[in-house]
Amino acid sequence: MAAPYDAEIRKDVQTYYGQVLKKSADLQTNACVTTARPVPKHIREALQNVHEEVALRYYGCGLVIPEHLENCRILDLGSGGGRDCYVLSQLVGEKGHVTGIDMTKGQVEVAEKYLDYHMEKYGFQTSNVTFIHGYIEKLGEAGIKNESYDIVVSNCVINLVPDKQQVLQEAYRVLKHGGELYFSDVYTSLELPEEIRTHKVLWGECLGGALYWKELAILAQKIGFCPPRLVTANLITIQNKELERVIGDCRFVSATFRLFKCSKTGPTKRCQVIYNGGITGHEKELMFDANFTFKEGEIVEVDEETAAILKNSRFAQDFLIRPIGEKLPISGDCSALELKDIITDPFKLAEESDCMKSRCVPDAAGGCCGTKKSC
């Protein structure tokens, strides 16, 4: 897109989030208030410690709290009022650090106002959070250096930037080798027509700038990331008749993906892995993505790409990894990766999730009565 058009969109988004929206209840779709699976107990507790004003300024579309965060350096792209940053700051601990960057000055000011509050709430001697007023596609201008972060997160913000490739390129640049971009965003079922792409409210509601979901894999490969790993997905509903008319047949989904900055070296064939357990909040079971769940002590057969990610990322110490055929020093059940389709389509995952929910109708006692519906 041309630079003047980018600047106009940027101004409209700043106005929408700085002046129009005062709290999450002001949103006209559920794009920025969805969550696709239960929140772990340790994260629920961390959320309860966030100041009320910061929590009210939350406009995310998922949960961008990955696993194994102790002592990590994390960058939050589009940190808004700071909710996710303050949750992450508890989980990385006092030796870790979280940086939030946002282009809306009013949002940054709200976040900075509660630095001391959260430092005292967590019992830290010094704050481990920094907020920067800047642009997520121009991290260099904000002074963020190459390979300086273990994890980059983003919560329903990349869609607000016209140049998505530049955002992903910058995230790749600042990540350490083996690092991860863990982000929730909005995706479309088809290429958006101009009427939607130029609609100011739809841009502010995270829909007008949403990426066609198949484009993500193309951009990731072009930049150097491993192929996207789909974690969760949720269909988006519109609570506005006028916006429904503009959108027409286009569908939207909020989805969480993981993109790893892979090393070029690693397993070149399928492996068997065993999760050692012990990751905070996931001691017995780690739901790595929509396709792989690892239970403590259980042998799981994985493809070469998954093995390489586990071996070259912060999860390396959490798994025992061996080529297939080599004896593992443990006896247990083996969960083989059967010849099945790996789910990469967020719309398919969201529909399957809705289907599973419809099959279980709570009875009077809160259990599942076994009622099934056709999907």
Side-chain angles (χ1 to χ4, degrees), residues 135-181:
Y135 301 105
I136 66 174
E137 70 272 39
K138 298 179 180 180
L139 299 179
E141 290 184 5
I144 299 176
K145 299 178 180 177
N146 294 353
E147 299 177 18
S148 53
Y149 288 92
D150 302 293
I151 303 167
V152 174
V153 300
S154 182
N155 202 335
C156 206
V157 173
I158 295 176
N159 66 82
L160 297 172
V161 181
D163 193 346
K164 279 119 178 107
Q165 180 174 327
Q166 183 60 29
V167 176
L168 297 178
Q169 185 72 61
E170 279 290 87
Y172 186 88
R173 179 182 67 80
V174 304
L175 278 170
K176 299 175 183 177
H177 288 288
E180 169 184 22
L181 171 58

Side-chain angles (χ1 to χ4, degrees), residues 306-320:
T306 302
I309 286 173
L310 295 177
K311 184 176 182 180
N312 293 289
S313 68
R314 68 186 185 281
F315 295 101
Q317 301 303 313
D318 301 307
F319 285 86
L320 182 62

Side-chain angles (χ1 to χ4, degrees), residues 18-214:
Q19 299 174 29
V20 177
L21 295 181
K22 299 300 180 184
K23 55 188 182 300
S24 56
D26 296 332
L27 293 161
Q28 298 184 54
T29 75
N30 73 335
C32 296
V33 292
T34 57
T35 182
R37 68 184 183 191
V39 180
K41 182 174 181 289
H42 72 295
I43 297 178
R44 291 201 306 272
E45 293 172 349
L47 283 165
Q48 291 171 0
N49 289 328
V50 175
H51 192 279
E52 182 180 12
E53 184 179 359
V54 172
L56 284 172
R57 292 279 189 145
Y58 170 69
Y59 309 120
C61 64
L63 189 67
V64 291
I65 314 291
E67 316 82 11
H68 197 137
L69 300 179
E70 290 84 356
N71 303 324
C72 283
R73 285 181 53 82
I74 302 178
L75 173 64
D76 184 3
L77 304 179
S79 50
R83 191 201 77 158
D84 288 341
C85 286
Y86 285 124
V87 171
L88 290 164
S89 74
Q90 296 173 77
L91 302 178
V92 300
E94 199 164 5
K95 293 182 180 179
H97 191 274
V98 179
T99 303
I101 181 169
D102 199 278
M103 71 174 181
T104 305
K105 192 172 183 180
Q107 294 275 64
V108 174
E109 288 172 350
V110 169
E112 288 183 324
K113 188 164 71 170
Y114 296 103
L115 283 169
D116 289 342
Y117 170 88
H118 291 96
M119 178 184 71
E120 293 170 8
K121 184 80 172 177
Y122 308 154
F124 293 168
Q125 295 300 308
T126 57
S127 178
N128 66 345
V129 184
T130 303
F131 292 104
I132 300 172
H133 179 221
Y135 301 105
I136 66 174
E137 70 272 39
K138 298 179 180 180
L139 299 179
E141 290 184 5
I144 299 176
K145 299 178 180 177
N146 294 353
E147 299 177 18
S148 53
Y149 288 92
D150 302 293
I151 303 167
V152 174
V153 300
S154 182
N155 202 335
C156 206
V157 173
I158 295 176
N159 66 82
L160 297 172
V161 181
D163 193 346
K164 279 119 178 107
Q165 180 174 327
Q166 183 60 29
V167 176
L168 297 178
Q169 185 72 61
E170 279 290 87
Y172 186 88
R173 179 182 67 80
V174 304
L175 278 170
K176 299 175 183 177
H177 288 288
E180 169 184 22
L181 171 58
Y182 188 97
F183 67 113
S184 291
D185 220 290
V186 177
Y187 298 90
T188 70
S189 58
L190 45 80
E191 296 282 357
L192 293 179
E194 186 176 1
E195 185 180 11
I196 295 178
R197 289 189 291 106
T198 56
H199 196 288
K200 291 183 179 182
V201 173
L202 288 176
W203 262 96
E205 291 282 330
C206 303
L207 304 181
L211 189 69
Y212 175 41
W213 74 269
K214 291 184 178 181

